[in-house]
Amino acid sequence: MPRRNRPSKREVVPDPKFNNTHLTMFINRMMYGGKRSLSQSIMYGALDIVEERVKRNPVDVFEQALRNVTPAIEVKPMRVGGATYQVPVEVPHDRAISVAMRWLLESARNRGGRNMAEKLASELMDALNGQGSAVKKKDDTHRMAEANRAFAHFR
């Protein structure tokens, strides 16, 4: 990673079915070994299951679930005078979305179920309702930041 100038942000092409960039980013993160078509079929299958169960637009459900999992604040370790403190910092929007997607995928993969589409659909619906392990991870992160609020002046 270069120290002087930041690399430019890449343009994300919206997905072909729903024309949504967050869906494309999620599909890219889900992908193993460059198997994009498999990843797309899993995601679209999960969205079909969500639409069937919730009777709402599946992209709106996905976006709301993503918003419910997105962290606003996190802790970063900072060295001050030989001691390392967990300092709470605000999360930049791009990183927050990225972390939320990672948490959703991780919790869906660790979930019990028949196939990945069902596991992902269940995790999305849990996140929509404010429960599930991805939302718990966000709450734990916020709780940790709140507990270390005394070190915020090291920011």
Side-chain angles (χ1 to χ4, degrees):
M1 179 131 194
R3 287 176 184 261
R4 288 190 184 191
N5 36 357
R6 298 256 169 223
S8 60
K9 293 284 178 195
R10 292 198 181 120
E11 184 96 15
V12 179
V13 180
D15 77 300
K17 190 171 181 182
F18 294 105
N19 200 30
N20 189 312
T21 54
H22 284 157
L23 269 176
T24 301
M25 290 166 65
F26 197 83
I27 288 168
N28 288 344
R29 279 182 179 74
M30 196 186 335
M31 196 167 31
Y32 274 133
K35 309 241 180 211
R36 174 184 231 92
S37 59
L38 178 64
S39 184
Q40 276 180 335
S41 66
I42 290 171
M43 187 65 199
Y44 294 149
L47 290 177
D48 289 343
I49 293 169
V50 165
E51 184 177 30
E52 182 182 297
R53 291 184 189 166
V54 183
K55 306 281 191 278
R56 281 175 47 192
N57 184 0
V59 179
D60 293 343
V61 170
F62 172 73
E63 291 287 342
Q64 184 61 44
L66 201 60
R67 261 182 259 127
N68 288 350
V69 177
T70 302
I73 195 165
E74 66 182 354
V75 291
K76 272 193 170 173
M78 293 201 180
R79 258 182 96 75
V80 179
T84 305
Y85 298 105
Q86 297 288 334
V87 179
V89 293
E90 286 186 27
V91 186
H93 180 70
D94 291 340
R95 175 167 165 73
I97 295 291
S98 179
V99 166
M101 287 181 186
R102 211 174 313 145
W103 288 347
L104 272 171
L105 259 177
E106 178 187 330
S107 53
R109 283 181 176 141
N110 292 334
R111 198 178 183 97
R114 283 207 307 243
N115 57 23
M116 186 59 190
E118 284 187 16
K119 294 195 279 189
L120 188 56
S122 301
E123 191 60 41
L124 286 174
M125 287 189 296
D126 279 353
L128 177 71
N129 297 326
Q131 47 199 15
S133 55
V135 176
K136 184 182 180 310
K137 192 142 187 162
K138 173 198 161 188
D139 292 341
D140 291 345
T141 303
H142 281 214
R143 204 172 300 118
M144 176 85 89
E146 185 67 28
N148 289 304
R149 202 174 59 191
F151 305 125
H153 66 281
F154 289 130
R155 196 174 331 149

